[in-house]
Amino acid sequence: MSIRFETPRVVNVPIIPDRSTLQRYVDRVLDTGRFSNNGPLVRELESRIAERIGAAECVLVANATLGLQLLMKALDLTGEVIVPSFTFMATPNAVSWQGLTPVFCEIDSTTHNLDLRACERAIGPDTSAILAVHVWGRGCRPTAFQTLADREGISLFFDAAHGFDCWSEGHRLGCNGEAEVFSLHATKSFHCGEGGAITTRSAELARELRMRRNFGFTGYDRISTIGINAKLPELSAALGLANLETYDESVSASKETHRVYTDELERRLDIRPIQYAEHNHCHYVVVEWPSDRFAVSRDTLVDSLHGENVIARRYFYPGCHRMTPYAGETGRMNLGQTEELCARALVLPAGAQIEKADVTKICEFIERLADG
Ligand code: T4K
């Protein structure tokens, strides 16, 4: 049986905004000739995101990777930073780029997030911070990690790349730790094409981040600190503002996609994609494929799906600790749970844009393969 699609069905097809709404914002850029450097659209989007999330401050940047780097620079971290290995390479690479050492720590296999006890054990004399990731937008226990960081006298900040508008412990993500960094990349539930947002409660930290994203300038010819160019262009902010207007509708469509996958997979194979206990955009449909129960392994399944133009992904295989430049280093942690999850995780094409009929076809195909 073939279901081969003419065009690829990919994980997280970017949301396309309403064209006339986008045109309205683009016209504002063209009318004023202001394309960059903390322009009015960037400031407007910062206010709208801060208001939506309930954060005191939002600082937009060119992407989340640079956002993490700017934040680590501003926090003046030294030595080691604890990170999960079950994350996108941007997380440890941002740490390394700052001349810091990422220490890979084990995850909790049920939440896919950093394990608190393992993190406690990973803290050493050179640890200056914990960089926790809200994988799939499921909150990484902000309160418990804050208690640990306070007790150890180290910084805590979050890679919230997946977590826009997600809730954890009864609150929207965005106000935890020293700061949280969201990705606004095209593949995210809310996007600017490329972009990142740092949210924080601290006005002082936000002021420093704004200065550092703009080369460190504090006046026309005065530089106060080492900065970089991490500014978000106005045209990217235009895309973000247009997308924000229909964000709630696209989340509803993503939730429906997730629901259809859950129903289909449960009915056909008695498995479920991971479920979201608190409010989540449901942008990621993630299955832990039980290779021992079915006729095909996770990897054969992925290959077969690709053959049908269904570009399922193995995020975050094989684990950052097994990828260059970290492979071969002997970390001090056991990463058994991480490796097991890396061998099982399967991310299916989802989001607001995929047709529900396509989801049904994909699940039917998976069922046929699973039955052998
Ligand atoms: N921390 C975490 C935990 C992250 O997951 C990420 C990024 C970051 C930090 C860093 O955030 P940024 O610095 O990027 O703001 C994608 C994204 O590029 C990346 O942003 C994301 N995480 C990661 C999980 O996924 P790839 O290399 O797997 O994506 P790619 O190019 O294969 O795109 C996925 C599919 O989407 C493709 O099959 C094609 C489709 N697509 C993609 C783009 C960009 C489109 O249809 N249109 C598009 O414009 O990394």
Side-chain angles (χ1 to χ4, degrees), residues 10 14 63-65 87-88 90 159 161-162 183 185 187-188 313 315:
V10 298
N63 56 63
T65 310
T87 182
F88 194 56
D159 177 336
H162 302 176
S183 171
H185 182 259
T187 54
K188 297 297 184 285
R313 300 294 291 267
Y315 292 133

Side-chain angles (χ1 to χ4, degrees), residues 17 29 55 76 82 99 131-132 153 179 239 273 278 288 290 308 358 371:
V29 179
D76 202 16
I82 295 171
L131 168 46
L239 189 48
E278 290 192 83
E288 291 185 37
E308 303 298 321
D358 291 353
D371 288 346

Side-chain angles (χ1 to χ4, degrees), residues 8-14 62-66 68 86-91 133-136 159-162 181-188 193-196 284 311 313 315-316:
R9 298 298 188 265
V10 298
V11 291
N12 308 128
V13 185
N63 56 63
T65 310
L66 271 172
L68 288 169
F86 191 75
T87 182
F88 194 56
M89 271 299 264
T91 317
V133 182
H134 303 305
V135 177
W136 320 128
D159 177 336
H162 302 176
V181 182
F182 297 90
S183 171
L184 307 182
H185 182 259
T187 54
K188 297 297 184 285
E194 283 276 5
Y284 301 102
I311 314 301
R313 300 294 291 267
Y315 292 133
F316 295 104

Side-chain angles (χ1 to χ4, degrees), residues 27-303:
D27 283 344
R28 277 175 57 189
V29 179
L30 301 181
D31 288 347
T32 58
R34 180 67 178 260
F35 287 94
S36 189
N37 290 14
N38 200 25
L41 272 72
V42 161
R43 294 198 304 275
E44 185 173 332
L45 185 56
E46 287 182 341
S47 309
R48 295 235 189 133
I49 291 175
E51 193 185 348
R52 176 158 194 128
I53 284 175
E57 301 279 351
C58 170
V59 180
L60 289 175
V61 288
N63 56 63
T65 310
L66 271 172
L68 288 169
Q69 290 171 215
L70 272 184
L71 180 58
M72 283 184 266
K73 192 84 172 164
L75 295 176
D76 202 16
L77 301 181
T78 56
E80 297 178 347
V81 176
I82 295 171
V83 294
S85 174
F86 191 75
T87 182
F88 194 56
M89 271 299 264
T91 317
N93 279 353
V95 175
S96 299
W97 196 277
Q98 289 310 115
L100 302 163
T101 306
V103 171
F104 293 113
C105 177
E106 184 61 300
I107 51 161
D108 172 334
S109 60
T110 49
T111 65
H112 300 184
N113 284 328
L114 265 188
D115 181 80
L116 184 71
R117 295 282 159 248
C119 185
E120 203 170 354
R121 287 194 299 276
I123 295 172
D126 296 330
T127 307
S128 63
I130 301 166
L131 168 46
V133 182
H134 303 305
V135 177
W136 320 128
R138 296 198 290 189
C140 184
R141 302 184 63 189
T143 311
F145 274 91
Q146 190 64 64
T147 305
L148 173 62
D150 290 346
R151 200 180 67 217
E152 299 289 336
I154 59 178
S155 296
L156 170 69
F157 60 111
F158 291 91
D159 177 336
H162 302 176
F164 186 80
D165 202 38
C166 293
W167 289 65
S168 173
E169 300 173 344
H171 301 281
R172 276 199 163 88
L173 297 176
C175 305
N176 301 297
E178 311 263 9
E180 305 207 48
V181 182
F182 297 90
S183 171
L184 307 182
H185 182 259
T187 54
K188 297 297 184 285
S189 65
F190 166 64
H191 76 89
C192 292
E194 283 276 5
I198 312 173
T199 56
T200 176
R201 284 168 296 194
S202 166
E204 197 186 327
L205 179 59
R207 190 190 55 76
E208 180 165 354
L209 291 166
R210 288 201 169 89
M211 182 171 63
R212 286 189 188 267
R213 79 176 168 188
N214 184 31
F215 308 102
F217 275 114
T218 45
Y220 278 119
D221 45 18
R222 200 172 62 241
I223 294 258
S224 299
T225 187
I226 293 181
I228 199 164
N229 184 354
K231 288 168 282 149
L232 186 79
E234 286 288 277
L235 285 170
S236 301
L239 189 48
L241 284 162
N243 277 330
L244 205 51
E245 292 199 13
T246 49
Y247 183 71
D248 290 327
E249 287 160 38
S250 55
V251 169
S252 299
S254 277
K255 285 186 171 174
E256 182 57 11
T257 302
H258 187 273
R259 190 195 61 75
V260 175
Y261 266 117
T262 302
D263 289 354
E264 291 280 350
L265 291 172
E266 211 159 32
R267 183 168 63 80
R268 294 172 187 277
L269 293 162
D270 196 24
I271 56 173
R272 308 177 96 196
I274 62 164
Q275 301 292 304
Y276 298 101
E278 290 192 83
H279 175 74
N280 187 292
H281 40 60
C282 296
H283 197 58
Y284 301 102
V285 171
V286 184
V287 173
E288 291 185 37
W289 184 254
S291 295
D292 52 336
R293 268 184 56 198
F294 297 124
V296 282
S297 67
R298 189 273 313 262
D299 291 348
T300 307
L301 177 58
V302 168
D303 288 346

